[in-house]
């Protein structure tokens, strides 16, 4: 079965978020644990989380993905901003223990003229300070489009971070189709080659999730502008090849397309109908 969902808001509560997922035909979802443009978070309501877990169990939801706030920068030139990223992610991982066995994804950060090597070291240092042997969440580095001074624009940069992490068993990768396309990886015409390269540099076993997005820009643009499925430069045929690829079809897919709930429902139905990997 295709495991697919969209990005949904937890602002109304976890159980309400689970009900929204069911409305759009999803069997997984991605969410922010707090304001995506800030760091404030509501206190955990254990009854609400328990109701959400019951929804997930009764409806056979796949792996859930929590996304870190966009504003966090683990390799900022400002030590206070690095500390904010560390403390926020540590708190998020503590919160994720209420939903054990799931995933937590973050954008590695921007080195802001310090150089990629310095950025890589700072990101790894942060991870070494927050990862715990007994945690039940796998932390994912997201593939980035390479705009500005983003770290994670290449498989090599992501591998370099993981190489420096002590608890490597707690680490994985979330591949964003828009980002890798905009970053110059030709997933339209050379998907097998891209995955071979990923396996050679990082290891395909580290790939834990897919952000399934079309792109407003051509391959190699380094722009990072998501588009609705089938309406961008990647196109529906290439994205269908992604969900049906034997190395990817078992993974959870999360839509981050510019949609409201009805649009996500249409995309989920479209992709379910195109899924042949079963």
């Amino acid at each position: 079965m295709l495991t697919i969902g969209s990005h949904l808001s937890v602002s109304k509560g976890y159980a309400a978020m689970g009900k929204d997922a069911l409305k759009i035909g999803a069997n997984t979802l991605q969410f922010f644990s707090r304001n995506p443009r800030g760091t404030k978070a509501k206190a955990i309501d254990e009854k609400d989380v328990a109701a959400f877990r019951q929804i997930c169990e009764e409806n056979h939801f796949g792996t859930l993905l929590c996304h870190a706030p966009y504003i966090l920068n683990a390799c900022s030139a400002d030590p206070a901003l690095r500390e904010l990223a560390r403390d926020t992610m540590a708190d998020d991982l503590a919160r994720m223990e209420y939903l054990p066995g799931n995933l937590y994804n973050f954008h590695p950060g921007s080195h802001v003229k310090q150089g990629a090597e310095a950025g890589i070291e700072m990101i790894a240092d942060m991870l070494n300070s927050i990862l715990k042997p007994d945690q039940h969440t796998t932390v994912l580095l997201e593939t980035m489009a390479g705009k500005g001074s983003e770290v994670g624009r290449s498989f090599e940069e992501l591998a370099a971070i993981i190489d420096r992490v002590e608890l490597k068993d707690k680490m994985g990768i979330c591949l964003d189709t828009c980002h890798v396309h905009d970053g110059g990886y030709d997933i339209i015409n050379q998907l097998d080659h891209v995955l071979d390269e990923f396996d050679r540099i990082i290891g395909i076993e580290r790939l834990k999730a897919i952000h399934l997005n079309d792109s407003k820009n051509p391959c190699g643009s380094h722009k990072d502008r998501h588009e609705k499925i089938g309406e961008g430069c990647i196109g529906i045929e290439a994205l269908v090849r992604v969900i049906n690829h034997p190395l990817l079809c078992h993974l959870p897919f999360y839509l981050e397309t510019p949609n409201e709930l009805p649009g996500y429902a249409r995309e989920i139905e479209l992709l379910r109908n195109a899924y042949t990997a079963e």
Side-chain angles (χ1 to χ4, degrees), residues 68-89:
Y70 292 128
I71 66 162
L72 301 185
N73 187 358
C75 58
S76 171
D78 184 340
L81 293 179
R82 296 200 301 273
E83 184 178 2
L84 177 67
R86 183 196 66 209
D87 292 349
T88 302
M89 286 196 232

Side-chain angles (χ1 to χ4, degrees), residues 4 32 44 61 69 115 117 124 129 143 145 156 175 179 222 243 250 258 261 271:
I4 188 167
F32 287 108
I44 291 286
F61 275 28
E117 182 63 26
S129 72
T143 58
E156 286 84 358
L175 187 148
H179 293 178
H222 304 293
I243 64 172
H250 64 288
L261 291 182
L271 293 163

Side-chain angles (χ1 to χ4, degrees), residues 227-247:
E227 182 55 281
K228 296 175 183 177
I229 299 297
E231 297 185 19
C233 293
I234 300 176
I236 185 63
E237 292 183 3
L239 292 172
V240 166
R241 285 195 291 273
V242 168
I243 64 172
N244 284 308
H245 195 281
L247 292 178

Side-chain angles (χ1 to χ4, degrees), residues 14-230:
Y14 283 87
M17 180 175 67
K19 291 174 183 177
D20 281 343
L22 294 177
K23 288 177 185 176
I24 62 174
N27 58 354
T28 188
L29 57 88
Q30 174 179 267
F31 66 98
F32 287 108
S33 67
R34 62 189 69 224
N35 182 347
R37 302 292 178 184
T39 57
K40 290 184 178 180
K42 294 180 179 179
I44 291 286
D45 180 337
E46 294 190 30
K47 290 183 179 179
D48 181 40
V49 174
F52 173 60
R53 289 180 63 175
Q54 184 174 354
I55 289 171
C56 294
E57 291 168 9
E58 289 178 350
N59 293 279
H60 308 291
F61 275 28
T63 306
L64 307 172
L65 178 59
C66 179
H67 200 303
Y70 292 128
I71 66 162
L72 301 185
N73 187 358
C75 58
S76 171
D78 184 340
L81 293 179
R82 296 200 301 273
E83 184 178 2
L84 177 67
R86 183 196 66 209
D87 292 349
T88 302
M89 286 196 232
D91 185 56
D92 276 349
L93 290 179
R95 288 166 170 269
M96 285 300 290
E97 290 300 300
Y98 288 93
L99 297 169
N102 289 295
L103 306 170
Y104 180 75
N105 175 71
F106 76 102
H107 294 181
S110 295
H111 62 74
V112 196
K113 299 182 180 180
Q114 299 175 96
E117 182 63 26
I120 288 165
E121 290 286 353
M122 284 184 267
I123 295 162
D125 287 347
M126 187 225 30
L127 288 166
N128 285 330
S129 72
I130 65 172
L131 296 179
K132 298 180 179 179
D134 59 348
Q135 73 182 52
H136 297 91
T137 301
T138 300
V139 176
L140 308 185
L141 298 165
E142 184 169 339
T143 58
M144 303 308 294
K147 65 181 187 297
S149 60
E150 283 181 338
V151 178
R153 65 178 60 216
S154 68
F155 297 157
E156 286 84 358
E157 288 188 358
L158 296 170
I161 295 170
I162 294 174
D163 284 346
R164 290 163 172 79
V165 173
E166 294 164 3
L167 298 176
K168 291 179 174 58
D169 61 313
K170 306 300 183 183
M171 294 298 302
I173 300 292
C174 176
L175 187 148
D176 186 302
T177 54
C178 171
H179 293 178
V180 294
H181 164 85
D182 284 20
Y185 291 95
D186 187 2
I187 60 170
I188 300 173
N189 302 299
Q190 299 183 43
L191 180 59
D192 284 338
H193 174 74
V194 171
L195 294 177
D196 285 346
E197 190 171 356
F198 185 100
D199 188 37
R200 177 177 61 82
I201 297 168
I202 299 176
I204 200 69
E205 71 281 356
R206 293 243 180 243
L207 186 53
K208 305 297 185 182
I210 305 285
H211 281 162
L212 196 70
N213 304 302
D214 214 323
S215 173
K216 291 182 181 291
N217 294 286
C219 184
S221 64
H222 304 293
K223 295 289 187 183
D224 184 10
R225 295 195 63 202
H226 298 193
E227 182 55 281
K228 296 175 183 177
I229 299 297

